[in-house]
């Protein structure tokens, strides 16, 4: 590639990074800029499907897309390496195995699980972070069932799966677990009543802040299928085999403990000297970092204020994809010396799965429950694949589960 062209470096191949890269290839002529995408793996993964990988209700390969299947090497230079730090003053990104200079930088490195410093959480709980951590969860759960079956001195607690936090990640995870656990019980000939799924939440309700009717529906549906909720139960500590909850430090024992209690921006932001609000960069309206002419911060790394409601927009794939559109347009504007535009969020709603055939949510302001919601969730999942790789990718990886 011609090195005299301005170089755009995109960090992270999640929703924000992939869609920015794709849009840039559509908006810019090849001679206008060199486009480089840096990611720690040679694949993109559908973060919004990770709860299914963790429960083992889909194969991890379905949630992965090879970057070389989406981008032509003639158009996008792919670098598979981990970002260590951005040196803003030098227009340089330090990678684990090399360095790379940029003229324009897009930081789209996603989220990291936040344990809020809860004692023992980092050491003892599993996290829904990426494909690798989710495969560990899946394998660990199956190991607990296999070990139980084959041990003479059976410990029923080893079959319990504890999920800490009943936000959308925790709720979607227990929704998948109620599908998987009966299958494991059948496979290992274990009484279904011995395998508990317990979801612990500090707030008095699951999905705090979400629509009350939908929350009520989700809770009843999951309880009917065997999920136990412990509400108003703040986790104080995580030990090797238990959550310690509440002021009286009650212990709930388990063989598998998963923490889904919150997320924050990638720690590379802090290491690179960006000013942070709760682990994220408060971006300008045009999605640039404050004081930086050539650095955009997107997706779960960005703190984007919802001025109407006086709080930040929640970190979602929907927002990350929309950030990408604004960012790519603004990079084109910078290259062509045109005015930049501000990001405007177009909220299409929120849909959550509660297992394979159940779900709930709002779409364009309309409430959906049950099978229609589950079907809508698959439409949303498939749309993301379509946006990334068109019909070819949709046919290869799309979700067409029968009801
Ligand atoms: P990510 O998708 O996290 O991608 C970041 C990328 O950067 C990854 O590919 C990662 O490998 C790479 N990376 C990270 N660190 C480095 C490094 N140091 N060097 C190089 N590469 C690195 N949102 C919705 O709108 N709808 C949903 O239904 C929904 N469901 C969800 C279900 C689950 C289980 C979870 C966990 C989240 C869900 N979300 C959903 C939230 C959504 O997934 C995130 O908001 C979204 O993934 C953010 O996109 P992103 O591009 O910022 O980051
Ligand atoms: P979250 O912050 O939304 O939820 C975390 C939950 O953990 C909260 O309910 C919180 O009260 C609870 N919690 C925190 N500390 C606790 C403690 N000590 N003890 C007990 N409970 C505790 O995090 P999330 O669920 O991972 O979601 C992250 C983002 O991803 C959100 O913006 C969410 O909207 C988005 N997401 C969306 C979907 C969807 O749209 N289907 C699915 C998953 C995630």
């Amino acid at each position: 590639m011609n090195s005299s062209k301005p170089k755009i470096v995109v960090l992270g191949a999640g929703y924000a990074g992939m869609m920015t890269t794709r849009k840039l290839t559509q908006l810019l002529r090849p001679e206008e800029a060199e486009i480089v995408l840096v990611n720690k793996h040679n694949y993109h993964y559908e973060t919004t499907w990770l709860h299914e990988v963790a429960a083992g209700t889909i194969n991890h390969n379905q949630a992965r897309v090879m970057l070389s299947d989406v981008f032509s090497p003639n158009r996008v230079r792919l670098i598979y390496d981990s970002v260590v730090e951005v040196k803003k003053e030098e227009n340089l990104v330090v990678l684990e195995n090399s360095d790379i200079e940029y003229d324009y930088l897009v930081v789209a490195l996603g989220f990291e699980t936040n344990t809020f410093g809860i004692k023992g959480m980092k050491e003892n709980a599993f996290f829904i972070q990426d494909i690798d951590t989710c495969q560990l969860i899946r394998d660990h759960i199956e190991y607990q069932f296999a070990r139980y079956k084959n041990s003479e001195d059976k410990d029923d607690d080893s079959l319990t799966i504890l999920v800490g936090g009943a936000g959308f990640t925790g709720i979607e995870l227990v929704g998948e677990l109620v599908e998987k656990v009966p299958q494991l019980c059948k496979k290992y000939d274990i009484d279904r009543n011995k395998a508990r799924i317990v979801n612990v939440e500090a707030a008095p309700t699951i999905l705090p802040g979400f629509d009350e009717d939908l929350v009520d529906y989700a809770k009843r549906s999951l309880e009917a299928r065997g999920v136990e909720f412990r509400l108003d139960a703040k986790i104080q500590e995580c030990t090797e085999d238990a959550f310690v909850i509440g002021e009286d430090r009650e212990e709930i024992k388990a063989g598998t403990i998963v923490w889904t209690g919150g997320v924050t921006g990638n720690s590379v932001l802090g290491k690179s000297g960006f000013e942070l609000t709760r682990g994220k960069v408060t971006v300008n309206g045009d999605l640039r970092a404050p004081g930086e002419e050539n650095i955009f911060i997107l997706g779960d790394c960005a703190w984007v204020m919802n001025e109407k409601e006086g709080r930040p927009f929640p970190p979602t794939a929907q927002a990350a994809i929309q950030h990408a559109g604004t960012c790519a347009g603004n990079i084109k504007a910078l290259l062509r010396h045109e005015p930049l535009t501000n990001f405007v969020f177009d909220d299409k709603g929120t849909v959550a799965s509660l297992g394979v055939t159940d779900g709930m949510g709002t779409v364009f302001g309309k409430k959906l429950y049950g099978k229609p919601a589950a079907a809508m969730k698959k439409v949303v999942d498939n749309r993301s694949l379509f946006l990334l790789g068109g019909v070819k990718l949709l046919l290869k990886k799309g979700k067409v589960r029968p009801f």
Side-chain angles (χ1 to χ4, degrees):
M1 278 188 194
N2 178 357
S3 59
S4 63
K5 290 190 286 192
K7 191 193 281 181
I8 306 166
V9 175
V10 179
L11 305 180
Y15 296 100
M18 289 294 278
M19 285 311 299
T20 303
T21 307
R22 190 163 164 85
K23 293 249 173 211
L24 286 170
T25 62
Q26 292 164 344
L27 290 175
L28 301 178
R29 296 186 299 277
E31 63 279 12
E32 264 183 300
E34 180 186 359
I35 304 168
V36 183
L37 176 61
V38 181
N39 194 53
K40 66 160 96 158
H41 312 285
N42 60 356
Y43 57 85
H44 155 86
Y45 52 81
E46 291 290 310
T47 307
T48 60
W49 304 6
L50 284 179
H51 54 294
E52 296 162 274
V53 176
T57 48
I58 63 168
N59 184 281
H60 57 276
N61 280 327
Q62 192 181 349
R64 294 201 291 197
V65 176
M66 300 308 287
L67 297 182
S68 55
D69 283 351
V70 177
F71 299 114
S72 152
N74 296 328
R75 212 48 226 287
V76 179
R77 191 171 134 212
L78 297 172
I79 298 181
Y80 307 135
D81 204 346
S82 279
V83 178
V84 177
E85 186 188 351
V86 178
K87 293 196 169 174
K88 299 189 290 273
E89 302 74 24
E90 299 170 43
N91 281 0
L92 185 81
V93 180
V94 181
L95 306 176
E96 236 164 53
N97 301 300
S98 64
D99 292 347
I100 181 163
E101 290 181 334
Y102 61 84
D103 296 295
Y104 300 95
L105 184 69
V106 180
V107 183
L109 292 167
F111 71 94
E112 281 179 17
T113 304
N114 193 352
T115 62
F116 305 105
I118 296 171
K119 192 173 167 202
M121 197 61 85
K122 229 180 222 158
E123 297 77 10
N124 298 312
F126 289 103
F127 299 152
I128 306 268
Q129 176 70 60
D130 56 28
I131 290 277
D132 294 339
T133 67
C134 289
Q135 285 190 89
L136 271 181
I137 296 171
R138 178 197 64 198
D139 293 350
H140 180 85
I141 293 172
E142 175 128 15
Y143 172 71
Q144 292 298 337
F145 278 72
R147 196 175 65 154
Y148 182 89
K149 175 71 186 165
N150 289 297
S151 65
E152 281 174 13
D153 184 17
K154 295 193 189 320
D155 171 12
D156 286 0
D157 287 336
S158 70
L159 296 177
T160 298
I161 304 169
L162 260 182
V163 177
F168 278 104
T169 303
I171 290 299
E172 287 200 317
L173 176 63
V174 296
E176 294 303 308
L177 289 171
V178 292
E179 308 274 349
K180 187 65 183 184
V181 163
Q183 291 170 16
L184 289 171
C185 287
K186 201 168 168 196
K187 181 169 174 187
Y188 292 100
D189 191 19
I190 292 170
D191 177 1
R192 169 67 186 90
N193 294 316
K194 287 192 186 296
R196 298 169 65 205
I197 303 166
V198 185
N199 192 186
V200 182
E201 167 59 49
T205 167
I206 64 167
L207 300 170
F210 197 55
D211 180 279
E212 275 180 30
D213 292 343
L214 295 170
V215 166
D216 190 47
Y217 174 83
K219 185 161 176 283
R220 276 187 290 115
S221 164
L222 291 166
E223 277 176 337
R225 286 177 283 154
V227 177
E228 299 170 43
F229 289 106
R230 290 296 307 269
L231 304 178
D232 256 331
K234 186 166 184 199
I235 299 161
Q236 311 282 3
E237 184 180 342
C238 178
T239 65
E240 255 178 39
D241 61 355
F243 276 154
V244 179
I245 60 169
E247 293 302 313
D248 53 357
R249 300 185 59 80
E250 180 196 345
E251 258 195 338
I252 309 178
K253 288 203 170 285
T256 306
I257 301 178
V258 186
W259 170 248
T260 59
V263 295
T264 186
N266 195 298
S267 52
V268 165
L269 298 169
K271 280 183 213 142
S272 308
F274 289 101
E275 201 180 304
L276 302 181
T277 313
R278 296 209 210 139
K280 301 179 179 203
V281 178
T282 303
V283 288
N284 298 335
D286 57 21
L287 301 180
R288 283 186 291 186
E292 305 295 336
E293 288 294 307
N294 59 346
I295 303 180
F296 292 82
I297 314 273
L298 310 185
D300 282 11
C301 287
W303 181 274
V304 183
M305 276 308 284
N306 178 347
E307 301 297 349
K308 247 193 245 160
E309 296 189 10
R311 56 182 175 155
F313 288 109
T316 61
Q318 186 186 174
I321 290 170
Q322 293 183 27
H323 291 171
T326 303
C327 171
N330 280 342
I331 291 177
K332 181 180 112 176
L334 285 171
L335 285 167
R336 296 184 186 172
H337 308 289
E338 292 165 357
L340 275 63
T341 54
N342 280 345
F343 175 71
V344 181
F345 183 53
D346 175 17
D347 190 356
K348 296 183 166 63
T350 301
V351 190
S353 61
L354 302 168
V356 176
T357 58
D358 198 6
M360 57 84 189
T362 55
V363 180
F364 299 114
K366 193 175 175 315
K367 291 182 197 182
L368 285 181
Y369 305 83
K371 282 185 183 172
M376 179 54 72
K377 181 73 171 72
K378 288 181 184 65
V379 169
V380 175
D381 289 349
N382 285 338
R383 178 176 177 268
S384 138
L385 286 179
F386 178 74
L387 289 175
L388 277 185
V391 175
K392 198 172 140 206
L393 189 59
L394 182 59
L395 290 175
K396 199 166 163 191
K397 304 276 179 175
K399 290 187 178 171
V400 276
R401 285 176 180 163
F403 287 120

